[in-house]
Amino acid sequence: MAKLVVMLNGAMVGNHFIDKGRITIGRRSGNDIHLDDPGVSKEHAVIQTVGNDHIFEDLGSTNGSTLNGSRITKHILQNGDVIDIGAFQLKYANIKANPEMDYDRTMMIRTVDREIGAVPQSAGWESGSPVTARSSLRAGFPLGEVRGIKGEFAGQKIALERPLKTFGTAGAQVAVILRRPPGYFITHVEGNKTARVNGQAIGSEPHTLQDGDVIEVGQEKFEFFLK
């Protein structure tokens, strides 16, 4: 299981396992990871789980966050990453993280939770930098689309051209469709219940999508197909 080791002035002061879909970090005592320092905002950052990966997001904090010495807003965490928040350092450890899966791991993500509410109000997850040339070469499989059957996007087609695309409503139920060289996968992100494919709950692990699958996320229903 992934964890964050919290350090202050070089000494370990905490050890937190990432054991749920959303971990909050901040100065307010109600946060999952409470950092008592004036340089930390009350609600400073969150870490969101997607499969075996974890996405760090700074919530517009006053003093910001740095990762391995560079200022960041969103980042897919990799084993050994060190996040600086105020006077604290948080070291991320995840033995399941696979460094070779750079197709969607090396991107800096600009929109997750705030646009998730817009997801079927939106376009999904965007990368802040282009996908690597190596990734592009490996992505030579058919592009996918979903067609809205029920809900706001009924009758509309949504192309799945980006490596990650979210569906659902933040705080209720959210799933992400990932495009990787072997094909398309849907993964649970948030909510007490997971998305359903062909009437069956997908569970917590990535679920491979097949041409013609019917996906239900919250009040939305889509049909997945390959071009």
Side-chain angles (χ1 to χ4, degrees):
M1 181 181 292
K3 67 178 180 179
L4 287 169
V5 178
V6 182
M7 305 186 72
L8 180 65
N9 298 323
M12 187 179 77
V13 295
N15 196 13
H16 299 268
F17 287 99
I18 304 177
D19 55 2
K20 59 181 184 178
R22 183 179 171 87
I23 301 290
T24 61
I25 304 169
R27 194 175 75 248
R28 193 190 301 276
S29 60
N31 284 287
D32 297 303
I33 299 178
H34 175 217
L35 303 179
D36 189 10
D37 179 76
V40 179
S41 295
K42 292 179 180 179
E43 297 178 352
H44 196 103
V46 296
I47 292 177
Q48 187 155 279
T49 301
V50 179
N52 289 329
D53 292 328
H54 300 98
I55 299 171
F56 174 87
E57 177 189 5
D58 185 283
L59 296 176
S61 64
T62 302
N63 295 315
S65 307
T66 63
L67 183 135
N68 302 331
S70 299
R71 188 74 171 252
I72 59 164
T73 300
K74 285 188 177 70
H75 180 77
I76 298 180
L77 293 170
Q78 301 186 50
N79 189 43
D81 279 347
V82 176
I83 306 163
D84 284 271
I85 298 178
F88 291 88
Q89 295 80 45
L90 285 67
K91 185 173 182 179
Y92 174 77
N94 184 3
I95 60 173
K96 290 186 178 181
N98 181 359
E100 293 183 359
M101 293 189 71
D102 62 344
Y103 181 65
D104 28 55
R105 190 182 291 281
T106 57
M107 299 180 304
M108 296 295 289
I109 301 207
R110 286 193 288 112
T111 55
V112 182
D113 282 330
R114 291 177 198 141
E115 281 71 38
I116 281 178
V119 162
Q121 301 145 334
S122 248
W125 295 17
E126 299 178 354
S127 62
S129 59
V131 177
T132 62
R134 177 182 171 189
S135 299
S136 298
L137 289 172
R138 290 163 54 191
F141 52 90
L143 289 176
E145 288 187 347
V146 292
R147 179 178 60 86
I149 299 173
K150 176 185 174 183
E152 182 180 354
F153 292 92
Q156 298 183 38
K157 291 182 179 180
I158 303 172
L160 302 174
E161 297 176 337
R162 298 174 185 269
L164 303 98
K165 185 114 24 202
T166 51
F167 296 89
T169 302
Q173 188 180 51
V174 177
V176 60
I177 292 180
L178 299 90
R179 176 180 176 229
R180 287 177 171 164
Y184 285 87
F185 303 82
I186 184 169
T187 302
H188 176 68
V189 174
E190 183 180 2
N192 293 328
K193 296 182 178 180
T194 66
R196 301 174 72 85
V197 175
N198 301 327
Q200 300 295 316
I202 63 172
S204 59
E205 295 299 318
H207 178 91
T208 304
L209 289 173
Q210 305 291 337
D211 194 38
D213 279 350
V214 175
I215 303 164
E216 297 175 74
V217 184
Q219 301 302 312
E220 303 289 332
K221 181 183 285 189
F222 303 89
E223 180 182 6
F224 170 81
F225 59 94
L226 297 171
K227 292 184 178 181

